[in-house]
Amino acid sequence: MTMMQPGTHIGTLTEQSLHAGLKQWLAQQGDALEQRVDGYQIDIVRGSTLIEIQTANFSALKTKLGRLLETHKVVLVHPIAEKKWIVRENKRGKQLSRRKSPKNGRLENLFDELLYIPHLVAHPNFSCMAVFTHQEEIWRDDGRGSWTRKHWSIADRRLLEVTGSYRFRNLKDFQRLIPKELTAPFTHKQLAEARGIPVWQSTRMSYCMRKMGALESVGKQGQSLLLAPCALPTKNRP
């Protein structure tokens, strides 16, 4: 697991601001942006490596990633909102209010999306990066949004700052999320307590790691699964 250092530029492209800002933060000299590769639009091409930014909805990537991984090294980048502010605007885009969200994103939130593609994580050409951000989420009073937001739509997400990132190059990096003090076999509840997260989140984490081949079920303790890390090779990924 490798920590990367943030850049300095925030994007102002016509695509959603968060995606554009992350692309400019990631871009290095010599990169090619927005290139067609094997019929697919790629955010960043860095030598023989393809870098794809996905802010949500990993399920939409199943076919694209599956085909690209056959012949290319792919790094999937996902932002996690460590801090977020809700900005309300009227239908003309004039700001009405700004408040800090009580929700603080954590690394475990990556599994909220990986659960849609755990079978691809084990591919030798796949790696991923969680990028911790401060964001603004723009709510617009246009009557088109979800009823849960009283029909306010999410018009945009803006990148304010990148505070750090974690790169997962192989399944061993995922196994490092299991606290050292947690002795195998362990239950979802024990994993949740060790990481300081809800049981539902440790269950989601375990599901992904079992499907990708980083964890395995080794029995039961009452109605609870007993889990243990799988034996893995140590070869790094791109």
Side-chain angles (χ1 to χ4, degrees):
M1 192 182 300
T2 305
M3 177 76 74
M4 297 188 67
Q5 296 301 315
T8 57
H9 300 289
I10 302 301
T12 56
L13 304 182
T14 56
E15 62 201 293
Q16 190 180 68
S17 300
L18 176 60
H19 186 278
L22 286 169
K23 184 164 57 179
Q24 290 199 20
W25 179 82
L26 286 160
Q28 299 177 2
Q29 186 174 4
D31 289 348
L33 308 184
E34 297 300 331
Q35 299 294 302
R36 298 289 293 182
V37 177
D38 294 349
Y40 292 102
Q41 192 77 5
I42 305 300
D43 291 318
I44 301 174
V45 178
R46 182 173 297 161
S48 61
T49 299
L50 312 181
I51 301 174
E52 273 292 284
I53 302 163
Q54 191 75 2
T55 59
N57 194 21
F58 279 19
S59 60
L61 291 176
K62 287 181 181 179
T63 301
K64 178 180 182 179
L65 280 180
R67 292 178 179 173
L68 290 173
L69 287 169
E70 292 176 4
T71 52
H72 301 279
K73 297 174 182 178
V74 180
V75 181
L76 181 60
V77 177
H78 178 62
I80 295 174
E82 191 175 54
K83 293 183 181 179
K84 182 169 67 176
W85 286 264
I86 307 298
V87 177
R88 291 179 181 266
E89 298 179 346
N90 66 18
K91 62 182 179 181
R92 295 181 180 85
K94 181 180 179 181
Q95 182 172 322
L96 304 175
S97 64
R98 185 179 189 267
R99 66 174 178 85
K100 188 176 183 296
S101 170
K103 297 180 179 179
N104 297 313
R106 292 177 48 129
L107 185 57
E108 291 86 359
N109 292 125
L110 178 64
F111 294 99
D112 298 341
E113 292 295 337
L114 285 180
L115 64 85
Y116 296 106
I117 58 166
H119 60 294
L120 296 176
V121 179
H123 196 287
N125 282 337
F126 178 90
S127 66
C128 67
M129 182 192 302
V131 179
F132 296 103
T133 66
H134 292 179
Q135 303 176 18
E136 282 185 334
E137 190 170 88
I138 313 303
W139 290 24
R140 190 160 293 160
D141 189 13
D142 56 8
R144 301 175 183 176
S146 165
W147 66 269
T148 60
R149 293 188 301 275
K150 297 182 179 180
H151 304 291
W152 290 65
S153 64
I154 298 178
D156 199 6
R157 291 183 175 89
R158 298 171 182 160
L159 177 63
L160 302 178
E161 182 182 357
V162 173
T163 59
S165 62
Y166 280 112
R167 174 81 174 271
F168 295 87
R169 296 178 180 272
N170 52 40
L171 297 184
K172 192 69 177 177
D173 287 340
F174 285 96
Q175 288 184 338
R176 292 192 178 102
L177 297 181
I178 301 169
K180 293 180 179 180
E181 66 271 17
L182 191 58
T183 303
F186 51 84
T187 65
H188 290 121
K189 183 178 180 181
Q190 290 169 329
L191 177 59
E193 290 174 348
R195 287 204 61 86
I197 58 177
V199 173
W200 67 262
Q201 198 164 44
S202 69
T203 302
R204 186 169 289 184
M205 178 178 171
S206 160
Y207 169 83
C208 293
M209 292 179 69
R210 282 183 285 129
K211 290 294 183 179
M212 68 177 70
L215 278 181
E216 61 181 342
S217 173
V218 294
K220 280 194 170 185
Q221 186 178 82
Q223 296 299 313
S224 300
L225 285 179
L226 288 173
L227 308 166
C230 298
L232 297 173
T234 59
K235 183 179 179 181
N236 280 347
R237 299 191 188 172

